[in-house]
Amino acid sequence: MIIDVTGLEFDALNEKLRESDSTVTLKGCLGQRFIASGMKDKTITIEGIPGNALGAYLNGASITVKDNAQDAVGDTMNDGEIIVHGNIGDAAGYAMRGGKIYIKGNAGYRAGIHMKEYKDKVPLMIIGGSAGSFLGEYQAGGIIVVLGLSTDGSLVGNFPCTGMHGGKVFFRGEVSKEAFPKNICLNPATEEDIDLVRNSISEYCDTFGFDKNEILGAKFTVATPDSNNPYKQMYVAN
């Protein structure tokens, strides 16, 4: 089913989505916010550029964006998948607690902020290019992977993993320890570490047409917190 959403406000757009078939393509998208908010049991393809909070509170739907996306992609999403064939703005995966986000290009600031996990719900974000500053800020769980496939510069901006107290961040290649807070441990990824993301990276490569063997054959660095209370030194006397 194809829906032309040119000029539609987000509430009218979402109403059409709720009434549509299970598989739908949205044409003419231009900045509408909150697309597919809270939805499940839908497979949605977006032609154009969605606005902020795409897939907010997503609960099982699959969303594919053929272009870029703006800020807060997957805000507090619970389940499902969001696949973006371009770049995304800031705060992707804010408080994300399940599902996966695959980005072919770069991510802005604060990707994965407040990401968390519970039992078998482990959210995942794979960024194909680079990530902006404050990647994984206050991360409490889940997995972030930065592949650096479309950048000749740094994999990540300033202050990565600030306040991180759970989860893991994988970087394809090496990153400078100087950029990270003192409570963050940076280590070469072990085979056990890679096993956590192997299938997901393979799926990512199949989705975007990358060579999975080349990517998985590279060395990865893993960032983890060395404490579940990163602010202890601020409040407890030595």
Side-chain angles (χ1 to χ4, degrees):
M1 182 176 183
I2 298 175
I3 302 174
D4 187 347
V5 300
T6 303
L8 283 184
E9 296 291 334
F10 74 87
D11 50 353
L13 187 158
N14 277 334
E15 186 62 30
K16 283 183 174 290
L17 262 181
R18 283 188 285 270
E19 295 172 352
S20 71
D21 298 336
S22 60
T23 301
V24 60
T25 296
L26 304 181
K27 298 178 69 71
C29 186
L30 186 60
Q32 290 96 334
R33 300 170 294 162
F34 310 118
I35 293 176
S37 178
M39 290 191 184
K40 59 181 180 179
D41 301 328
K42 297 280 187 183
T43 299
I44 303 162
T45 300
I46 298 175
E47 296 182 2
I49 300 177
N52 291 354
L54 169 70
Y57 306 102
L58 198 70
N59 203 30
S62 173
I63 302 173
T64 297
V65 181
K66 294 296 188 179
D67 209 310
N68 299 325
Q70 295 183 17
D71 297 344
V73 171
D75 184 347
T76 324
M77 69 182 286
N78 185 56
D79 201 0
E81 64 178 17
I82 301 176
I83 297 169
V84 179
H85 283 257
N87 303 316
I88 59 171
D90 299 338
Y94 179 91
M96 181 182 179
R97 55 193 185 221
K100 59 191 177 186
I101 300 175
Y102 290 169
I103 305 121
K104 185 176 184 180
N106 304 320
Y109 292 171
R110 289 187 161 91
I113 180 174
H114 286 298
M115 184 184 283
K116 60 200 71 177
E117 64 183 74
Y118 181 69
K119 294 186 177 179
D120 62 340
K121 295 188 75 66
V122 182
L124 170 74
M125 181 186 302
I126 301 182
I127 301 165
S130 62
S133 297
F134 296 101
L135 173 72
E137 186 178 27
Y138 308 124
Q139 185 179 348
I143 295 172
I144 301 171
V145 181
V146 182
L147 296 176
L149 298 174
S150 57
T151 178
D152 295 327
S154 175
L155 287 172
V156 66
N158 299 319
F159 314 113
C161 304
T162 298
M164 179 185 186
H165 53 283
K168 292 187 175 185
V169 181
F170 288 76
F171 298 93
R172 181 172 172 263
E174 297 182 355
V175 288
S176 172
K177 175 69 174 176
E178 295 178 359
F180 289 76
K182 292 181 179 179
N183 74 297
I184 299 301
C185 298
L186 292 175
N187 293 295
T190 65
E191 193 68 23
E192 184 178 1
D193 289 325
I194 295 300
D195 284 344
L196 290 174
V197 295
R198 188 183 307 279
N199 290 340
S200 297
I201 291 177
S202 293
E203 182 181 56
Y204 177 95
C205 291
D206 290 341
T207 298
F208 294 118
F210 293 119
D211 186 337
K212 71 184 73 175
N213 293 321
E214 178 182 351
I215 291 174
L216 285 167
K219 293 182 179 179
F220 282 78
T221 302
V222 183
T224 55
D226 67 1
S227 168
N228 60 7
N229 184 357
Y231 304 109
K232 180 178 179 181
Q233 67 271 22
M234 298 174 63
Y235 304 108
V236 179
N238 291 327

